[in-house]
Amino acid sequence: MKIRRAVLSGIAVGVIALLCSTATAQDIPRLSNGKPDFSGVWDHPRVADVTRDGNTCGGGTRGCTQKGSGELSFTAEGARRWNGPRIDFTAYCLPWGYSRSSQVEYPIEIVQKPERLAFLYESNNIFHVVHTDGSDHPKDLEPTWMGHSVGKWDGDTLVIDTIGLNGKTYIDTAEHPSSDALHVVERIKYIDSQHVSYEVTFEDPRIYTKPIKNSRVFVRMKPGEELMEYWCMENNKTLLDHHLPDLHLDQINQ
């Protein structure tokens, strides 16, 4: 009798778990084509260094996590660039690039339709389009700061493949370098309706001898919380004083 009760108890637990997982899957927002809809404003970890772990949302929301890659393995070129002189190009208001734009403390918004997804970044008020209409990368890509992205579905996981980056950016705030050979693969899926699993892999054979992997959890922000306006150049007194010493910011707009 005790054995039978244990078996029945195990079956009951299994049924309950199955029902819960089914309910969770049904609660996930979906597009008209049945694929998950990631639309919304998301808080995410501030990843200053891809090698380190972290458990803090950039915007202060609870629930973000980040698993770092650990120590990186450089090629000879990568070691030369990592150990050589570097500048923080963002201080000159140059673009942060695709990888770093997703790793700063500012939230992102996702706007999604069956044929495309757009990331809206609070940082620098920029956007990036991911083509999810089945198309592939163009054969002759002109390298850019944000690259070219296509998305394919692996079940309920969106796999984003990005190439065509210009190599002028760092992977993170710690200034780990990249080249124009950088290839970024992101895997995004729902944990539940309020949390998203995000896994990113960086491959750059000119700089690193093996891929860099980083895993994170994004948290949906509260209703009514929106992206704020962000402009790098505003109130940059050093730059203004150097180039326009006789003008003030309010005079430039006249």
Side-chain angles (χ1 to χ4, degrees):
M1 180 65 75
K2 289 182 180 180
I3 295 176
R4 185 180 178 184
R5 285 176 180 172
V7 171
L8 289 175
S9 176
I11 293 173
V13 169
V15 170
I16 291 171
L18 178 62
L19 291 174
C20 290
S21 63
T22 303
T24 300
Q26 292 174 343
D27 289 341
I28 291 173
R30 294 186 180 271
L31 300 166
S32 58
N33 62 0
K35 297 298 183 183
D37 182 1
F38 298 107
S39 296
V41 181
W42 298 92
D43 207 347
H44 55 90
R46 185 199 189 304
V47 185
D49 187 337
V50 295
T51 69
R52 299 178 180 274
D53 298 346
N55 296 302
T56 303
C57 289
T61 310
R62 293 184 178 180
C64 291
T65 62
Q66 180 247 323
K67 180 65 176 176
S69 63
E71 186 177 355
L72 304 182
S73 179
F74 293 98
T75 64
E77 171 66 13
R80 183 187 67 79
R81 292 179 56 181
W82 173 244
N83 294 317
R86 301 188 304 274
I87 62 167
D88 186 354
F89 53 87
T90 64
Y92 296 88
C93 293
L94 290 171
W96 293 359
Y98 187 56
S99 61
R100 194 168 171 184
S101 293
S102 300
Q103 298 175 166
V104 294
E105 60 266 40
Y106 312 105
I108 61 172
E109 181 170 358
I110 296 176
V111 179
Q112 187 178 359
K113 291 186 177 181
E115 69 279 4
R116 63 175 50 196
L117 174 150
F119 289 111
L120 310 182
Y121 300 91
E122 181 174 287
S123 60
N124 300 297
N125 287 122
I126 59 175
F127 68 91
H128 183 70
V129 173
V130 178
H131 304 275
T132 56
D133 56 359
S135 61
D136 209 340
H137 299 294
K139 292 182 179 180
D140 297 317
L141 271 176
E142 180 179 352
T144 59
W145 295 94
M146 300 295 284
H148 185 274
S149 299
V150 296
K152 311 284 186 182
W153 290 99
D154 179 10
D156 278 351
T157 300
L158 179 61
V159 182
I160 301 174
D161 187 277
T162 303
I163 60 173
L165 296 150
N166 62 16
K168 296 179 180 180
T169 65
Y170 299 125
I171 286 180
D172 54 19
T173 308
E175 300 179 359
H176 289 111
S178 71
S179 77
D180 57 6
L182 180 62
H183 176 203
V184 183
V185 177
E186 302 157 282
R187 298 180 63 88
I188 304 175
K189 64 179 179 181
Y190 271 108
I191 299 171
D192 55 49
S193 62
Q194 303 300 307
H195 299 82
V196 162
S197 168
Y198 173 92
E199 180 184 277
V200 59
T201 301
F202 304 103
E203 292 182 300
D204 191 333
R206 294 183 186 173
I207 306 297
Y208 306 99
T209 61
K210 57 184 179 181
I212 303 166
K213 183 174 288 188
N214 202 269
S215 301
R216 308 165 195 172
V217 172
F218 292 6
V219 182
R220 190 186 296 276
M221 297 186 74
K222 296 177 181 178
E225 292 184 317
E226 303 288 344
L227 301 186
M228 299 177 67
E229 187 176 74
Y230 177 115
W231 294 110
C232 178
M233 293 298 296
E234 188 173 28
N235 208 29
N236 192 335
K237 292 183 171 60
T238 301
L239 187 62
L240 288 173
D241 290 344
H242 178 70
H243 291 286
L244 301 169
D246 298 324
L247 291 177
H248 296 287
L249 187 62
D250 57 350
Q251 293 175 296
I252 295 174
N253 296 325
Q254 294 178 359

